[in-house]
Amino acid sequence: MKSTTAQNAQSLLKVLLLTTSFPLTKESRSGIFIQKMVNHLPDNIQVTVLTPDSAEADSQAFSDYSVDYSVIPFRYALKHWQQLAHGSGGIIAALSRNKLLFLLLPPFLLSNLLTCCYLTRKMDVLHANWSINGVIVGMSGLLFGKPVMTTLRGSDVNLIEKSALMRQLVHFSLRFSDVIITVSPSLQEKLVEHFPQYSAK
């Protein structure tokens, strides 16, 4: 029995999944597609989801889940001020609706990075969703020598021709990642067109 348990522990692949959208309550629809992806991963993959906390999230909500993964929400402001993520349209839409939320970006990014670095040490693979998380996970991966994969879903890639900031975020997420995943062939073609130096990824 002990040898079997030890073999199972060794065969587990520990993955840190960083996302700015993930349902923190049973009623939430934020990032439900990412939750479905996590639910369909093989049993030998142990996932820890790192996502921003929100004003609506209940500290008891996670104990209500009957799931095989853990969710760690990182705090970046007072509870009722945490409105950057999980809303309709995500962070970009939240900033468009309320310019004061730009003040939360520095603590948001710092808390995200520090928590990511803390968790990275015990992980085998880092998986980011969207370019901003690709940059954060990429820096953590460089610090601790962990492989990084980033999934780009279109909302950021489609803005690279209009926004210099978004272009830089996508560029650095590509640079820091070992593997890039796109959710459609058209996104892959756009990335290869604008960043041919990373086409092999």
Side-chain angles (χ1 to χ4, degrees):
M1 177 66 73
K2 289 184 178 180
S3 61
T4 302
T5 303
Q7 289 175 355
N8 290 339
Q10 290 178 354
S11 64
L12 275 180
L13 184 69
K14 297 180 180 180
V15 177
L16 177 63
L17 187 148
L18 181 56
T19 175
T20 49
S21 296
F22 199 84
L24 294 181
T25 66
K26 288 185 176 180
E27 295 76 21
S28 174
R29 309 308 295 172
S30 170
I32 193 72
F33 52 93
I34 296 180
Q35 184 187 46
K36 289 181 178 179
M37 176 192 71
V38 172
N39 284 331
H40 285 84
L41 290 173
D43 292 338
N44 67 323
I45 297 181
Q46 184 180 79
V47 178
T48 299
V49 178
L50 177 60
T51 192
D53 199 359
S54 75
E56 293 76 22
D58 183 350
S59 60
Q60 298 298 318
F62 312 110
S63 62
D64 295 336
Y65 283 128
S66 297
V67 295
D68 296 323
Y69 58 85
S70 58
V71 179
I72 299 179
F74 66 86
R75 296 286 296 269
Y76 58 94
L78 294 176
K79 186 70 174 177
H80 64 281
W81 288 359
Q82 296 182 137
Q83 300 175 21
L84 265 178
H86 304 297
S88 176
I91 293 177
I92 294 176
L95 293 172
S96 299
R97 290 191 296 265
N98 186 353
K99 301 300 183 184
L100 289 176
L101 292 179
F102 275 96
L103 297 174
L104 296 179
L105 276 179
F108 178 93
L109 295 172
L110 181 60
S111 178
N112 197 357
L113 177 60
L114 292 177
T115 310
C116 184
C117 287
Y118 175 78
L119 295 172
T120 291
R121 298 172 299 168
K122 298 180 180 180
M123 301 295 162
D124 300 309
V125 177
L126 310 179
H127 181 196
N129 287 270
W130 293 285
S131 57
I132 181 62
N133 292 321
V135 175
I136 290 171
V137 163
M139 290 190 292
S140 187
L142 284 175
L143 285 172
F144 295 95
K146 306 290 184 175
V148 173
M149 55 193 296
T150 297
T151 298
L152 298 176
R153 300 183 173 277
S155 56
D156 39 15
V157 178
N158 291 330
L159 292 174
I160 60 177
E161 294 170 339
K162 300 178 180 178
S163 169
L165 174 60
M166 193 59 67
R167 182 179 177 86
Q168 287 302 311
L169 283 176
V170 172
H171 171 258
F172 280 107
S173 69
L174 295 173
R175 180 178 178 180
F176 291 155
S177 299
D178 299 289
V179 175
I180 303 295
I181 302 168
T182 61
V183 296
S184 72
S186 61
L187 284 180
Q188 181 186 15
E189 292 171 3
K190 179 174 283 191
L191 286 173
V192 171
E193 176 187 352
H194 289 275
F195 307 99
Q197 67 271 38
Y198 303 120
S199 59
K201 296 186 179 184

